[in-house]
Amino acid sequence: MKNLSIAEAERVKFHAAVKRIPEDRKFFNNTAQSILAVAEEMLDGELEYHKGNHEIAFKHLRESVYRDDNLGYTEPWAWMHPPRHALAALLAEQGQHEEAEEVYRTDLGVNGKLQRCAQHPDNVWALHGLVECLRARGDTEELPFFEAKLVYALTKTDVPVTSSCLCRAAVCCNS
């Protein structure tokens, strides 16, 4: 259930906590500030989305993607939750399937727009979203290929996958 006032209060606390982290604090070759900057934009984007400010939300989520893409390479990844999953899921929820599809293709690495080390090939969450977008536009050429990949990926999961991000209103908040 949505509780925007609590979420807003927690966002304020998060932003304040991030400001207390020394600027030179690092996790391998990224500063803690640059890693948490990805989180800040995701948090702001998801909260704005659930407040009904969709375009503002997408602006924040696109910035989160940009910041994540510009983190220095490290293993494990500095930021583990791909912001593209949230961006594309919420775009799709608003019927913006064309852009969502492109975001998923980039995340999966099937369109060549993202360096290999930042791709999430065969990721079940992104595959779910891409299949959803392909179905929405009535694709018949690629859909069977990606459905098969999704079916296989689902055999490896231990939780139901109903969206590329649980931030979707229909998934998280019963709205």
PDB file of all heavy atoms in Angstrom, residues 43-77:
ATOM      1  N   LEU A  43      15.646   6.620  -6.224  1.00  0.00           N
ATOM      2  CA  LEU A  43      14.702   6.893  -5.149  1.00  0.00           C
ATOM      3  C   LEU A  43      13.792   8.061  -5.511  1.00  0.00           C
ATOM      4  O   LEU A  43      12.561   7.965  -5.401  1.00  0.00           O
ATOM      5  CB  LEU A  43      15.466   7.195  -3.853  1.00  0.00           C
ATOM      6  CG  LEU A  43      14.656   7.681  -2.660  1.00  0.00           C
ATOM      7  CD1 LEU A  43      13.624   6.646  -2.239  1.00  0.00           C
ATOM      8  CD2 LEU A  43      15.590   8.013  -1.506  1.00  0.00           C
ATOM      9  N   ASP A  44      14.383   9.145  -5.960  1.00  0.00           N
ATOM     10  CA  ASP A  44      13.586  10.315  -6.329  1.00  0.00           C
ATOM     11  C   ASP A  44      12.642   9.985  -7.480  1.00  0.00           C
ATOM     12  O   ASP A  44      11.474  10.399  -7.474  1.00  0.00           O
ATOM     13  CB  ASP A  44      14.492  11.488  -6.702  1.00  0.00           C
ATOM     14  CG  ASP A  44      15.240  12.052  -5.502  1.00  0.00           C
ATOM     15  OD1 ASP A  44      14.923  11.689  -4.346  1.00  0.00           O
ATOM     16  OD2 ASP A  44      16.162  12.868  -5.720  1.00  0.00           O
ATOM     17  N   GLY A  45      13.130   9.226  -8.445  1.00  0.00           N
ATOM     18  CA  GLY A  45      12.302   8.863  -9.592  1.00  0.00           C
ATOM     19  C   GLY A  45      11.119   7.993  -9.209  1.00  0.00           C
ATOM     20  O   GLY A  45       9.982   8.244  -9.620  1.00  0.00           O
ATOM     21  N   GLU A  46      11.380   6.982  -8.419  1.00  0.00           N
ATOM     22  CA  GLU A  46      10.288   6.084  -8.036  1.00  0.00           C
ATOM     23  C   GLU A  46       9.273   6.798  -7.157  1.00  0.00           C
ATOM     24  O   GLU A  46       8.062   6.611  -7.315  1.00  0.00           O
ATOM     25  CB  GLU A  46      10.845   4.836  -7.360  1.00  0.00           C
ATOM     26  CG  GLU A  46      11.570   3.933  -8.346  1.00  0.00           C
ATOM     27  CD  GLU A  46      12.111   2.658  -7.727  1.00  0.00           C
ATOM     28  OE1 GLU A  46      11.553   2.202  -6.700  1.00  0.00           O
ATOM     29  OE2 GLU A  46      13.090   2.117  -8.274  1.00  0.00           O
ATOM     30  N   LEU A  47       9.743   7.640  -6.260  1.00  0.00           N
ATOM     31  CA  LEU A  47       8.808   8.373  -5.403  1.00  0.00           C
ATOM     32  C   LEU A  47       7.974   9.360  -6.223  1.00  0.00           C
ATOM     33  O   LEU A  47       6.745   9.431  -6.059  1.00  0.00           O
ATOM     34  CB  LEU A  47       9.552   9.096  -4.277  1.00  0.00           C
ATOM     35  CG  LEU A  47       8.672   9.799  -3.248  1.00  0.00           C
ATOM     36  CD1 LEU A  47       7.627   8.859  -2.651  1.00  0.00           C
ATOM     37  CD2 LEU A  47       9.534  10.385  -2.145  1.00  0.00           C
ATOM     38  N   GLU A  48       8.609  10.094  -7.108  1.00  0.00           N
ATOM     39  CA  GLU A  48       7.853  11.026  -7.957  1.00  0.00           C
ATOM     40  C   GLU A  48       6.838  10.273  -8.822  1.00  0.00           C
ATOM     41  O   GLU A  48       5.717  10.746  -9.031  1.00  0.00           O
ATOM     42  CB  GLU A  48       8.794  11.859  -8.832  1.00  0.00           C
ATOM     43  CG  GLU A  48       9.597  12.887  -8.068  1.00  0.00           C
ATOM     44  CD  GLU A  48       8.741  13.908  -7.328  1.00  0.00           C
ATOM     45  OE1 GLU A  48       7.654  14.280  -7.811  1.00  0.00           O
ATOM     46  OE2 GLU A  48       9.171  14.336  -6.242  1.00  0.00           O
ATOM     47  N   TYR A  49       7.217   9.112  -9.287  1.00  0.00           N
ATOM     48  CA  TYR A  49       6.287   8.318 -10.095  1.00  0.00           C
ATOM     49  C   TYR A  49       5.034   7.993  -9.284  1.00  0.00           C
ATOM     50  O   TYR A  49       3.910   8.154  -9.768  1.00  0.00           O
ATOM     51  CB  TYR A  49       6.966   7.023 -10.567  1.00  0.00           C
ATOM     52  CG  TYR A  49       6.074   6.198 -11.454  1.00  0.00           C
ATOM     53  CD1 TYR A  49       6.012   6.452 -12.819  1.00  0.00           C
ATOM     54  CD2 TYR A  49       5.269   5.201 -10.937  1.00  0.00           C
ATOM     55  CE1 TYR A  49       5.169   5.712 -13.640  1.00  0.00           C
ATOM     56  CE2 TYR A  49       4.429   4.462 -11.742  1.00  0.00           C
ATOM     57  CZ  TYR A  49       4.376   4.719 -13.091  1.00  0.00           C
ATOM     58  OH  TYR A  49       3.538   3.993 -13.902  1.00  0.00           O
ATOM     59  N   HIS A  50       5.223   7.528  -8.066  1.00  0.00           N
ATOM     60  CA  HIS A  50       4.081   7.134  -7.250  1.00  0.00           C
ATOM     61  C   HIS A  50       3.282   8.325  -6.733  1.00  0.00           C
ATOM     62  O   HIS A  50       2.147   8.159  -6.289  1.00  0.00           O
ATOM     63  CB  HIS A  50       4.520   6.193  -6.133  1.00  0.00           C
ATOM     64  CG  HIS A  50       4.909   4.856  -6.675  1.00  0.00           C
ATOM     65  ND1 HIS A  50       4.000   3.961  -7.195  1.00  0.00           N
ATOM     66  CD2 HIS A  50       6.124   4.300  -6.852  1.00  0.00           C
ATOM     67  CE1 HIS A  50       4.629   2.896  -7.640  1.00  0.00           C
ATOM     68  NE2 HIS A  50       5.924   3.078  -7.446  1.00  0.00           N
ATOM     69  N   LYS A  51       3.866   9.505  -6.831  1.00  0.00           N
ATOM     70  CA  LYS A  51       3.114  10.726  -6.529  1.00  0.00           C
ATOM     71  C   LYS A  51       2.340  11.199  -7.760  1.00  0.00           C
ATOM     72  O   LYS A  51       1.597  12.165  -7.691  1.00  0.00           O
ATOM     73  CB  LYS A  51       4.077  11.823  -6.052  1.00  0.00           C
ATOM     74  CG  LYS A  51       4.637  11.555  -4.660  1.00  0.00           C
ATOM     75  CD  LYS A  51       5.830  12.410  -4.310  1.00  0.00           C
ATOM     76  CE  LYS A  51       5.577  13.867  -4.242  1.00  0.00           C
ATOM     77  NZ  LYS A  51       6.780  14.633  -3.822  1.00  0.00           N
ATOM     78  N   GLY A  52       2.534  10.522  -8.895  1.00  0.00           N
ATOM     79  CA  GLY A  52       1.836  10.883 -10.120  1.00  0.00           C
ATOM     80  C   GLY A  52       2.588  11.836 -11.018  1.00  0.00           C
ATOM     81  O   GLY A  52       2.057  12.269 -12.045  1.00  0.00           O
ATOM     82  N   ASN A  53       3.811  12.169 -10.668  1.00  0.00           N
ATOM     83  CA  ASN A  53       4.640  13.091 -11.457  1.00  0.00           C
ATOM     84  C   ASN A  53       5.519  12.292 -12.423  1.00  0.00           C
ATOM     85  O   ASN A  53       6.736  12.210 -12.247  1.00  0.00           O
ATOM     86  CB  ASN A  53       5.495  13.952 -10.516  1.00  0.00           C
ATOM     87  CG  ASN A  53       4.644  14.739  -9.551  1.00  0.00           C
ATOM     88  OD1 ASN A  53       3.570  15.211  -9.902  1.00  0.00           O
ATOM     89  ND2 ASN A  53       5.113  14.854  -8.320  1.00  0.00           N
ATOM     90  N   HIS A  54       4.898  11.716 -13.422  1.00  0.00           N
ATOM     91  CA  HIS A  54       5.585  10.754 -14.275  1.00  0.00           C
ATOM     92  C   HIS A  54       6.753  11.333 -15.063  1.00  0.00           C
ATOM     93  O   HIS A  54       7.821  10.718 -15.122  1.00  0.00           O
ATOM     94  CB  HIS A  54       4.585  10.064 -15.198  1.00  0.00           C
ATOM     95  CG  HIS A  54       3.547   9.301 -14.435  1.00  0.00           C
ATOM     96  ND1 HIS A  54       2.273   9.130 -14.886  1.00  0.00           N
ATOM     97  CD2 HIS A  54       3.591   8.690 -13.219  1.00  0.00           C
ATOM     98  CE1 HIS A  54       1.572   8.437 -14.006  1.00  0.00           C
ATOM     99  NE2 HIS A  54       2.352   8.160 -12.982  1.00  0.00           N
ATOM    100  N   GLU A  55       6.582  12.479 -15.657  1.00  0.00           N
ATOM    101  CA  GLU A  55       7.685  13.039 -16.453  1.00  0.00           C
ATOM    102  C   GLU A  55       8.873  13.416 -15.569  1.00  0.00           C
ATOM    103  O   GLU A  55      10.029  13.213 -15.953  1.00  0.00           O
ATOM    104  CB  GLU A  55       7.214  14.214 -17.311  1.00  0.00           C
ATOM    105  CG  GLU A  55       6.338  13.773 -18.480  1.00  0.00           C
ATOM    106  CD  GLU A  55       6.908  12.620 -19.296  1.00  0.00           C
ATOM    107  OE1 GLU A  55       8.094  12.677 -19.699  1.00  0.00           O
ATOM    108  OE2 GLU A  55       6.180  11.634 -19.535  1.00  0.00           O
ATOM    109  N   ILE A  56       8.597  13.944 -14.387  1.00  0.00           N
ATOM    110  CA  ILE A  56       9.679  14.237 -13.436  1.00  0.00           C
ATOM    111  C   ILE A  56      10.352  12.933 -13.019  1.00  0.00           C
ATOM    112  O   ILE A  56      11.582  12.846 -12.924  1.00  0.00           O
ATOM    113  CB  ILE A  56       9.138  15.006 -12.204  1.00  0.00           C
ATOM    114  CG1 ILE A  56       8.638  16.383 -12.624  1.00  0.00           C
ATOM    115  CG2 ILE A  56      10.195  15.109 -11.111  1.00  0.00           C
ATOM    116  CD1 ILE A  56       7.852  17.101 -11.539  1.00  0.00           C
ATOM    117  N   ALA A  57       9.537  11.919 -12.786  1.00  0.00           N
ATOM    118  CA  ALA A  57      10.076  10.609 -12.408  1.00  0.00           C
ATOM    119  C   ALA A  57      11.004  10.069 -13.487  1.00  0.00           C
ATOM    120  O   ALA A  57      12.111   9.588 -13.195  1.00  0.00           O
ATOM    121  CB  ALA A  57       8.925   9.627 -12.169  1.00  0.00           C
ATOM    122  N   PHE A  58      10.564  10.145 -14.746  1.00  0.00           N
ATOM    123  CA  PHE A  58      11.388   9.615 -15.839  1.00  0.00           C
ATOM    124  C   PHE A  58      12.690  10.401 -15.977  1.00  0.00           C
ATOM    125  O   PHE A  58      13.735   9.830 -16.288  1.00  0.00           O
ATOM    126  CB  PHE A  58      10.608   9.601 -17.150  1.00  0.00           C
ATOM    127  CG  PHE A  58       9.414   8.675 -17.132  1.00  0.00           C
ATOM    128  CD1 PHE A  58       8.257   9.005 -17.811  1.00  0.00           C
ATOM    129  CD2 PHE A  58       9.435   7.483 -16.429  1.00  0.00           C
ATOM    130  CE1 PHE A  58       7.158   8.161 -17.796  1.00  0.00           C
ATOM    131  CE2 PHE A  58       8.340   6.631 -16.396  1.00  0.00           C
ATOM    132  CZ  PHE A  58       7.205   6.972 -17.085  1.00  0.00           C
ATOM    133  N   LYS A  59      12.640  11.689 -15.707  1.00  0.00           N
ATOM    134  CA  LYS A  59      13.860  12.501 -15.738  1.00  0.00           C
ATOM    135  C   LYS A  59      14.861  11.985 -14.697  1.00  0.00           C
ATOM    136  O   LYS A  59      16.045  11.804 -14.988  1.00  0.00           O
ATOM    137  CB  LYS A  59      13.520  13.969 -15.485  1.00  0.00           C
ATOM    138  CG  LYS A  59      14.725  14.893 -15.499  1.00  0.00           C
ATOM    139  CD  LYS A  59      14.323  16.332 -15.230  1.00  0.00           C
ATOM    140  CE  LYS A  59      15.562  17.193 -15.159  1.00  0.00           C
ATOM    141  NZ  LYS A  59      15.573  18.085 -14.047  1.00  0.00           N
ATOM    142  N   HIS A  60      14.390  11.747 -13.493  1.00  0.00           N
ATOM    143  CA  HIS A  60      15.263  11.217 -12.437  1.00  0.00           C
ATOM    144  C   HIS A  60      15.786   9.827 -12.801  1.00  0.00           C
ATOM    145  O   HIS A  60      16.973   9.540 -12.598  1.00  0.00           O
ATOM    146  CB  HIS A  60      14.508  11.128 -11.098  1.00  0.00           C
ATOM    147  CG  HIS A  60      14.329  12.428 -10.401  1.00  0.00           C
ATOM    148  ND1 HIS A  60      15.378  13.155  -9.886  1.00  0.00           N
ATOM    149  CD2 HIS A  60      13.213  13.134 -10.118  1.00  0.00           C
ATOM    150  CE1 HIS A  60      14.919  14.252  -9.307  1.00  0.00           C
ATOM    151  NE2 HIS A  60      13.599  14.271  -9.444  1.00  0.00           N
ATOM    152  N   LEU A  61      14.921   8.984 -13.308  1.00  0.00           N
ATOM    153  CA  LEU A  61      15.346   7.621 -13.631  1.00  0.00           C
ATOM    154  C   LEU A  61      16.331   7.596 -14.793  1.00  0.00           C
ATOM    155  O   LEU A  61      17.285   6.808 -14.786  1.00  0.00           O
ATOM    156  CB  LEU A  61      14.130   6.733 -13.910  1.00  0.00           C
ATOM    157  CG  LEU A  61      13.279   6.460 -12.665  1.00  0.00           C
ATOM    158  CD1 LEU A  61      11.955   5.840 -13.048  1.00  0.00           C
ATOM    159  CD2 LEU A  61      14.035   5.586 -11.672  1.00  0.00           C
ATOM    160  N   ARG A  62      16.143   8.465 -15.770  1.00  0.00           N
ATOM    161  CA  ARG A  62      17.122   8.555 -16.863  1.00  0.00           C
ATOM    162  C   ARG A  62      18.475   9.042 -16.334  1.00  0.00           C
ATOM    163  O   ARG A  62      19.519   8.572 -16.767  1.00  0.00           O
ATOM    164  CB  ARG A  62      16.607   9.472 -17.967  1.00  0.00           C
ATOM    165  CG  ARG A  62      15.472   8.858 -18.780  1.00  0.00           C
ATOM    166  CD  ARG A  62      14.985   9.804 -19.878  1.00  0.00           C
ATOM    167  NE  ARG A  62      13.812   9.256 -20.527  1.00  0.00           N
ATOM    168  CZ  ARG A  62      12.577   9.743 -20.396  1.00  0.00           C
ATOM    169  NH1 ARG A  62      12.344  10.828 -19.670  1.00  0.00           N
ATOM    170  NH2 ARG A  62      11.566   9.173 -21.029  1.00  0.00           N
ATOM    171  N   GLU A  63      18.423   9.964 -15.388  1.00  0.00           N
ATOM    172  CA  GLU A  63      19.665  10.440 -14.769  1.00  0.00           C
ATOM    173  C   GLU A  63      20.329   9.310 -13.978  1.00  0.00           C
ATOM    174  O   GLU A  63      21.563   9.191 -13.973  1.00  0.00           O
ATOM    175  CB  GLU A  63      19.394  11.649 -13.875  1.00  0.00           C
ATOM    176  CG  GLU A  63      20.621  12.199 -13.186  1.00  0.00           C
ATOM    177  CD  GLU A  63      21.684  12.766 -14.110  1.00  0.00           C
ATOM    178  OE1 GLU A  63      21.372  13.139 -15.273  1.00  0.00           O
ATOM    179  OE2 GLU A  63      22.858  12.852 -13.672  1.00  0.00           O
ATOM    180  N   SER A  64      19.550   8.499 -13.325  1.00  0.00           N
ATOM    181  CA  SER A  64      20.099   7.356 -12.600  1.00  0.00           C
ATOM    182  C   SER A  64      20.806   6.399 -13.555  1.00  0.00           C
ATOM    183  O   SER A  64      21.904   5.907 -13.266  1.00  0.00           O
ATOM    184  CB  SER A  64      18.980   6.624 -11.845  1.00  0.00           C
ATOM    185  OG  SER A  64      19.500   5.544 -11.115  1.00  0.00           O
ATOM    186  N   VAL A  65      20.192   6.152 -14.703  1.00  0.00           N
ATOM    187  CA  VAL A  65      20.812   5.308 -15.737  1.00  0.00           C
ATOM    188  C   VAL A  65      22.132   5.928 -16.179  1.00  0.00           C
ATOM    189  O   VAL A  65      23.161   5.247 -16.258  1.00  0.00           O
ATOM    190  CB  VAL A  65      19.862   5.116 -16.940  1.00  0.00           C
ATOM    191  CG1 VAL A  65      20.593   4.522 -18.140  1.00  0.00           C
ATOM    192  CG2 VAL A  65      18.670   4.252 -16.548  1.00  0.00           C
ATOM    193  N   TYR A  66      22.111   7.219 -16.442  1.00  0.00           N
ATOM    194  CA  TYR A  66      23.317   7.921 -16.876  1.00  0.00           C
ATOM    195  C   TYR A  66      24.426   7.790 -15.828  1.00  0.00           C
ATOM    196  O   TYR A  66      25.575   7.503 -16.149  1.00  0.00           O
ATOM    197  CB  TYR A  66      22.992   9.397 -17.147  1.00  0.00           C
ATOM    198  CG  TYR A  66      24.211  10.225 -17.450  1.00  0.00           C
ATOM    199  CD1 TYR A  66      24.788  10.214 -18.719  1.00  0.00           C
ATOM    200  CD2 TYR A  66      24.812  10.991 -16.461  1.00  0.00           C
ATOM    201  CE1 TYR A  66      25.923  10.962 -18.995  1.00  0.00           C
ATOM    202  CE2 TYR A  66      25.945  11.741 -16.724  1.00  0.00           C
ATOM    203  CZ  TYR A  66      26.500  11.711 -17.991  1.00  0.00           C
ATOM    204  OH  TYR A  66      27.628  12.439 -18.258  1.00  0.00           O
ATOM    205  N   ARG A  67      24.081   8.033 -14.581  1.00  0.00           N
ATOM    206  CA  ARG A  67      25.078   7.956 -13.512  1.00  0.00           C
ATOM    207  C   ARG A  67      25.617   6.539 -13.361  1.00  0.00           C
ATOM    208  O   ARG A  67      26.822   6.345 -13.148  1.00  0.00           O
ATOM    209  CB  ARG A  67      24.487   8.459 -12.192  1.00  0.00           C
ATOM    210  CG  ARG A  67      24.246   9.959 -12.216  1.00  0.00           C
ATOM    211  CD  ARG A  67      23.602  10.447 -10.948  1.00  0.00           C
ATOM    212  NE  ARG A  67      23.363  11.882 -11.035  1.00  0.00           N
ATOM    213  CZ  ARG A  67      23.018  12.626 -10.011  1.00  0.00           C
ATOM    214  NH1 ARG A  67      22.864  12.088  -8.810  1.00  0.00           N
ATOM    215  NH2 ARG A  67      22.816  13.925 -10.171  1.00  0.00           N
ATOM    216  N   ASP A  68      24.739   5.559 -13.454  1.00  0.00           N
ATOM    217  CA  ASP A  68      25.176   4.165 -13.362  1.00  0.00           C
ATOM    218  C   ASP A  68      26.122   3.826 -14.514  1.00  0.00           C
ATOM    219  O   ASP A  68      27.161   3.187 -14.308  1.00  0.00           O
ATOM    220  CB  ASP A  68      23.963   3.236 -13.364  1.00  0.00           C
ATOM    221  CG  ASP A  68      24.330   1.791 -13.130  1.00  0.00           C
ATOM    222  OD1 ASP A  68      25.083   1.499 -12.177  1.00  0.00           O
ATOM    223  OD2 ASP A  68      23.860   0.938 -13.899  1.00  0.00           O
ATOM    224  N   ASP A  69      25.768   4.265 -15.715  1.00  0.00           N
ATOM    225  CA  ASP A  69      26.613   4.008 -16.885  1.00  0.00           C
ATOM    226  C   ASP A  69      27.986   4.644 -16.758  1.00  0.00           C
ATOM    227  O   ASP A  69      28.944   4.194 -17.384  1.00  0.00           O
ATOM    228  CB  ASP A  69      25.951   4.535 -18.164  1.00  0.00           C
ATOM    229  CG  ASP A  69      24.799   3.675 -18.643  1.00  0.00           C
ATOM    230  OD1 ASP A  69      24.597   2.575 -18.093  1.00  0.00           O
ATOM    231  OD2 ASP A  69      24.098   4.120 -19.578  1.00  0.00           O
ATOM    232  N   ASN A  70      28.086   5.686 -15.966  1.00  0.00           N
ATOM    233  CA  ASN A  70      29.341   6.421 -15.857  1.00  0.00           C
ATOM    234  C   ASN A  70      30.143   6.106 -14.596  1.00  0.00           C
ATOM    235  O   ASN A  70      31.145   6.774 -14.321  1.00  0.00           O
ATOM    236  CB  ASN A  70      29.084   7.919 -16.005  1.00  0.00           C
ATOM    237  CG  ASN A  70      28.793   8.250 -17.448  1.00  0.00           C
ATOM    238  OD1 ASN A  70      29.689   8.299 -18.276  1.00  0.00           O
ATOM    239  ND2 ASN A  70      27.512   8.423 -17.773  1.00  0.00           N
ATOM    240  N   LEU A  71      29.731   5.084 -13.869  1.00  0.00           N
ATOM    241  CA  LEU A  71      30.559   4.613 -12.765  1.00  0.00           C
ATOM    242  C   LEU A  71      31.771   3.899 -13.354  1.00  0.00           C
ATOM    243  O   LEU A  71      31.693   3.301 -14.427  1.00  0.00           O
ATOM    244  CB  LEU A  71      29.778   3.638 -11.877  1.00  0.00           C
ATOM    245  CG  LEU A  71      28.661   4.231 -11.031  1.00  0.00           C
ATOM    246  CD1 LEU A  71      27.875   3.116 -10.342  1.00  0.00           C
ATOM    247  CD2 LEU A  71      29.217   5.207 -10.011  1.00  0.00           C
ATOM    248  N   GLY A  72      32.869   3.940 -12.627  1.00  0.00           N
ATOM    249  CA  GLY A  72      34.056   3.211 -13.063  1.00  0.00           C
ATOM    250  C   GLY A  72      33.818   1.712 -12.972  1.00  0.00           C
ATOM    251  O   GLY A  72      33.126   1.224 -12.071  1.00  0.00           O
ATOM    252  N   TYR A  73      34.405   0.973 -13.905  1.00  0.00           N
ATOM    253  CA  TYR A  73      34.245  -0.477 -13.928  1.00  0.00           C
ATOM    254  C   TYR A  73      34.838  -1.103 -12.664  1.00  0.00           C
ATOM    255  O   TYR A  73      35.936  -0.763 -12.236  1.00  0.00           O
ATOM    256  CB  TYR A  73      34.942  -1.064 -15.157  1.00  0.00           C
ATOM    257  CG  TYR A  73      34.907  -2.566 -15.182  1.00  0.00           C
ATOM    258  CD1 TYR A  73      33.741  -3.232 -15.525  1.00  0.00           C
ATOM    259  CD2 TYR A  73      36.023  -3.309 -14.835  1.00  0.00           C
ATOM    260  CE1 TYR A  73      33.695  -4.613 -15.535  1.00  0.00           C
ATOM    261  CE2 TYR A  73      35.996  -4.691 -14.846  1.00  0.00           C
ATOM    262  CZ  TYR A  73      34.825  -5.343 -15.183  1.00  0.00           C
ATOM    263  OH  TYR A  73      34.780  -6.705 -15.190  1.00  0.00           O
ATOM    264  N   THR A  74      34.093  -2.026 -12.100  1.00  0.00           N
ATOM    265  CA  THR A  74      34.573  -2.805 -10.970  1.00  0.00           C
ATOM    266  C   THR A  74      33.766  -4.098 -10.883  1.00  0.00           C
ATOM    267  O   THR A  74      32.642  -4.161 -11.364  1.00  0.00           O
ATOM    268  CB  THR A  74      34.457  -2.001  -9.646  1.00  0.00           C
ATOM    269  OG1 THR A  74      35.050  -2.746  -8.594  1.00  0.00           O
ATOM    270  CG2 THR A  74      33.037  -1.666  -9.308  1.00  0.00           C
ATOM    271  N   GLU A  75      34.377  -5.100 -10.332  1.00  0.00           N
ATOM    272  CA  GLU A  75      33.663  -6.344 -10.043  1.00  0.00           C
ATOM    273  C   GLU A  75      33.780  -6.605  -8.565  1.00  0.00           C
ATOM    274  O   GLU A  75      34.898  -6.615  -8.039  1.00  0.00           O
ATOM    275  CB  GLU A  75      34.256  -7.500 -10.842  1.00  0.00           C
ATOM    276  CG  GLU A  75      33.949  -7.412 -12.317  1.00  0.00           C
ATOM    277  CD  GLU A  75      34.415  -8.636 -13.084  1.00  0.00           C
ATOM    278  OE1 GLU A  75      34.426  -9.740 -12.498  1.00  0.00           O
ATOM    279  OE2 GLU A  75      34.763  -8.484 -14.247  1.00  0.00           O
ATOM    280  N   PRO A  76      32.685  -6.795  -7.858  1.00  0.00           N
ATOM    281  CA  PRO A  76      31.321  -6.721  -8.380  1.00  0.00           C
ATOM    282  C   PRO A  76      30.967  -5.292  -8.774  1.00  0.00           C
ATOM    283  O   PRO A  76      31.676  -4.351  -8.427  1.00  0.00           O
ATOM    284  CB  PRO A  76      30.468  -7.182  -7.206  1.00  0.00           C
ATOM    285  CG  PRO A  76      31.270  -6.812  -6.004  1.00  0.00           C
ATOM    286  CD  PRO A  76      32.709  -6.968  -6.406  1.00  0.00           C
ATOM    287  N   TRP A  77      29.835  -5.163  -9.477  1.00  0.00           N
ATOM    288  CA  TRP A  77      29.382  -3.838  -9.882  1.00  0.00           C
ATOM    289  C   TRP A  77      29.241  -2.946  -8.667  1.00  0.00           C
ATOM    290  O   TRP A  77      28.842  -3.381  -7.586  1.00  0.00           O
ATOM    291  CB  TRP A  77      28.031  -3.920 -10.591  1.00  0.00           C
ATOM    292  CG  TRP A  77      28.073  -4.539 -11.947  1.00  0.00           C
ATOM    293  CD1 TRP A  77      29.020  -4.345 -12.901  1.00  0.00           C
ATOM    294  CD2 TRP A  77      27.123  -5.445 -12.499  1.00  0.00           C
ATOM    295  NE1 TRP A  77      28.714  -5.068 -14.024  1.00  0.00           N
ATOM    296  CE2 TRP A  77      27.552  -5.762 -13.800  1.00  0.00           C
ATOM    297  CE3 TRP A  77      25.955  -6.017 -12.027  1.00  0.00           C
ATOM    298  CZ2 TRP A  77      26.857  -6.625 -14.637  1.00  0.00           C
ATOM    299  CZ3 TRP A  77      25.265  -6.869 -12.862  1.00  0.00           C
ATOM    300  CH2 TRP A  77      25.718  -7.166 -14.147  1.00  0.00           C
TER     301      TRP A  77
END
